Every structure is written in structure tokens, then in C-alpha cells.
Amino acid sequence: MSAPSPSPGPRPHHLDPRLLRAFLAVADELHFTRAAARLYVAQQALSRDVRRLERELGAELFVRTTRQVTLTADGERLVPYARRALDAQDELLAAFAQARPLLVDLNFPDQATARAVLLRARELAPDQELMARYESGLTGAAAQLLTGRLDVSFGRFAGVDPALRSGLDHQPVRYEPMAVVLPEDHRLASLERVPLAALEGETVYAGAGNPRTPEWTDLARRLFEGRGIRIAPPAPLAVGDEEFQRIMAKTRNPILAVVGFPAMPATVLRPLVDPVPLSPVSLVWRKGLVHPAFDALRRAAIELSVEHDWLRRPVDGWIPATDEAQMNLPK
């Protein structure tokens, strides 16, 4: 049975090129699953884009049955227009491809997830320049994204102020297991894994007072609530690894971190369990971003998420309820 014909509406003033790419992929493959694989997107997201294009054009483009997909007359008519439009866009992007690099904020130099995505994207687009930046936290990067001084960042999208978030878009990348950094002579340092209940009575550093990382402090607050764990008061804002390590050595507070946190002298890194707290990581960009290297970065994030099962939550995994909807968006 074919889908109901979209209701004719006013002539569209703008068409997102992504919708035309989705249409052409299905028109070429005549198969939604193969087309989704070709574009490195979920089939649900591809179907949604095709339906949106049909609504915006006020025309049914495909006849869908349980056995096959075929183009309608309007679909056949759209194909050459869509190809010319996308060829023109590709030509424009190629003309400006060397004008500037894609500026990718990794938060800090040893952020394993973001760095892995960047390195894969460079492999996928060797002719493009993707340059790393280090803004410390997603909130700190968000203002730079909105003004165009950065293109892409990584972090907990749900933790960003809604006023900033309204101008941004994101793609879930990973549920990153959280950990705690302990002085090597701490009472819990001998454990291979630290149950959250064992931190009761501790004061844990979680970036309180750092204006660039309030999304991280908020995640800690939600995790510690009701468990008798205190967030350490603001410490002097340290710039650079050496200064950060010096300040932490003076306070001797455990540090809330992720399992890929870089090693620090005289400390041990221990995963947290019972439950396993997860830091939700998204690729984040300003709405409307167009750059020839951006598609490679999104593709890299999807590939790595699939290869390493980054978006599978453990049975006892924990994230805040505020993050559920954001991380369940179609990719």
C-alpha cells in the first residue's frame, strides 16, 4: 500500500540540501535500507527526511510497498533538478574548500573519544583540513560555535543552557563510562572498581566554579544526589596539565572523570560501578553549518559508534533523566 499523498502547501522558499541527498540516495537504490547505509544514517532518519521533503514540495515522490520502492511521476521529475542543485552546491563548496579549515574543539588534548573521531575524519577526508582546538568544556565552546569562531565541539548537549542550545544541533556519539581519580594512598585506591556507595562522605572535585564546564558539574550533582557525596568547592582555575595536577595534589580531593582520563602523577584511575554512571557525549555544531569536511566528521562519529558499540548502555548504566530524550534522537 502506498503512503498517503502529501497535502499541497505553499511553495517552499528553502530546501535543506540534506533532504535532496536523502531523496537521491533512495531514488538511486530504490531501497531505504541500502540508501541509509550509503549515507551513513539510520533508516528511520532517512525515512523522516524523505517524508519532510514530500511535505515541503506537496508531492508524493515514492510508491512504497512491502516488496519494492518505485518513483512516482513527480519523483522522476525531481531527479534531474535535485542532481543539478547538489552538483552546484558541491561545486561551490569545492571552490571554497581551501578557504579555511574546519575548527574542531576536542575539549582538552587527551579527550579520547573526540580525538578518535577527529583522526577517523581526517582519514575519510584527507584533502580537507580539520584543525583541533581546546576549549575545556562544551559550555565554553557553545558561544564560540554560535559566533562561528568554532565549528564543532563535543560534550553533554543536555547540560548546555537552553538559550545556547536553541542555536545548536547535535549527534549522539557515546555513553562514556565515568571514573574517579584517587590519590594513590587513598582508602579506595586498592579497589579495581569503586562502587558509588563507597564514596559516601567524600568530597569530590567536579569542576565547580569553572565557567566553561557547568554541564559537567551539573552531571556530578545529579549523580551524587541522595548518595552522601559532596561536590568540592571551587578551586583556583588552573590552566594547563601541570597547574591542574599541582592544585589537585594540594587539595587531595578525588576527581570525577571518565575512563579515558589521562594519567596523573601519584594517582590511580578507577571506574565507578553499582550503577555504572555514563557521561553522554554528542558531536555538537551550530545549526546551518556547511563545510566540505563536516560530513566526514559526522560519518566518522557514526562509524566509531557502531564499531565500538559506544551507544549501547550497560544494564546497570545511569544517565540523568534530562539526557534521555536528547541521546535517543535518530542519528
Side-chain angles (χ1 to χ4, degrees):
M1 179 181 295
S2 64
S5 299
S7 301
R11 179 180 300 174
H13 297 289
H14 169 77
L15 282 178
D16 187 336
R18 186 185 80 247
L19 305 184
L20 293 178
R21 291 191 190 280
F23 163 73
L24 283 180
V26 179
D28 290 343
E29 300 289 344
L30 294 178
H31 195 283
F32 275 81
T33 302
R34 289 198 298 268
R38 170 171 153 181
L39 294 177
Y40 296 94
V41 299
Q43 184 176 337
Q44 179 185 0
L46 178 68
S47 298
R48 183 192 65 229
D49 284 348
V50 170
R51 287 194 300 271
R52 178 180 161 192
L53 180 62
E54 289 178 323
R55 287 195 304 272
E56 293 192 7
L57 294 177
E60 185 180 4
L61 303 174
F62 297 101
V63 177
R64 309 160 177 86
T65 70
T66 56
R67 295 189 176 184
Q68 64 179 357
V69 176
T70 57
L71 283 160
T72 65
D74 282 328
E76 293 278 7
R77 187 159 65 97
L78 178 60
V79 167
Y81 290 102
R83 290 200 195 284
R84 288 199 296 271
L86 292 178
D87 286 346
Q89 185 196 42
D90 290 342
E91 184 178 352
L92 183 154
L93 292 176
F96 286 86
Q98 302 306 320
R100 69 172 185 86
L102 186 75
L103 301 179
V104 183
D105 170 43
L106 306 186
N107 300 156
F108 54 89
D110 293 315
Q111 216 284 4
T113 299
R115 182 172 175 76
V117 172
L118 175 62
L119 293 178
R120 175 64 63 86
R122 286 173 176 167
E123 293 175 0
L124 294 173
D127 295 333
Q128 299 298 326
E129 184 61 65
L130 295 93
M131 294 194 69
R133 293 290 187 269
Y134 308 102
E135 290 295 324
S136 176
L138 183 55
T139 295
Q144 306 294 315
L145 292 173
L146 293 171
T147 58
R149 289 192 286 271
L150 279 176
D151 295 309
V152 181
S153 188
F154 292 82
R156 181 183 166 232
F157 190 68
V160 175
D161 185 279
L164 296 173
R165 205 166 62 217
S166 64
L168 303 173
D169 207 344
H170 80 117
Q171 174 179 311
V173 175
R174 184 178 186 183
Y175 292 112
E176 197 161 23
M178 296 168 72
V180 64
V181 179
L182 301 165
E184 59 186 1
D185 58 353
H186 191 276
R187 66 182 179 85
L188 301 175
S190 61
L191 300 177
E192 291 185 6
R193 294 177 295 276
V194 174
L196 271 170
L199 288 175
E200 183 176 1
E202 293 283 347
T203 299
V204 179
Y205 177 75
N210 185 341
R212 294 177 176 271
T213 61
E215 72 279 359
W216 180 253
T217 308
D218 176 71
L219 182 64
R221 179 181 61 79
R222 294 174 187 275
L223 176 62
F224 296 165
E225 190 173 12
R227 292 188 164 98
I229 308 170
R230 297 180 297 274
I231 292 179
L237 186 59
V239 178
D241 291 347
E242 184 176 342
E243 283 297 284
F244 179 77
Q245 292 173 12
R246 184 181 66 82
I247 294 295
M248 292 301 99
K250 286 182 67 175
T251 65
R252 291 186 53 79
N253 287 320
I255 303 167
L256 187 66
V258 293
V259 292
F261 193 79
M264 290 173 51
T267 66
V268 295
L269 180 71
R270 297 291 184 256
L272 290 170
V273 294
D274 302 330
V276 175
L278 303 169
S279 171
V281 179
S282 286
L283 180 69
V284 182
W285 63 92
R286 68 182 171 278
K287 289 180 177 177
L289 173 64
V290 176
H291 191 285
F294 181 48
D295 285 347
L297 198 70
R298 294 193 67 184
R299 177 180 162 190
I302 292 170
E303 285 187 1
L304 290 168
S305 293
V306 172
E307 288 174 18
H308 300 291
D309 215 9
W310 278 350
L311 288 172
R312 182 184 63 82
R313 286 173 60 180
V315 174
D316 59 343
W318 172 94
I319 65 169
T322 52
D323 295 63
E324 292 277 358
Q326 297 291 353
M327 291 300 286
N328 287 331
L329 289 177
K331 298 177 285 301

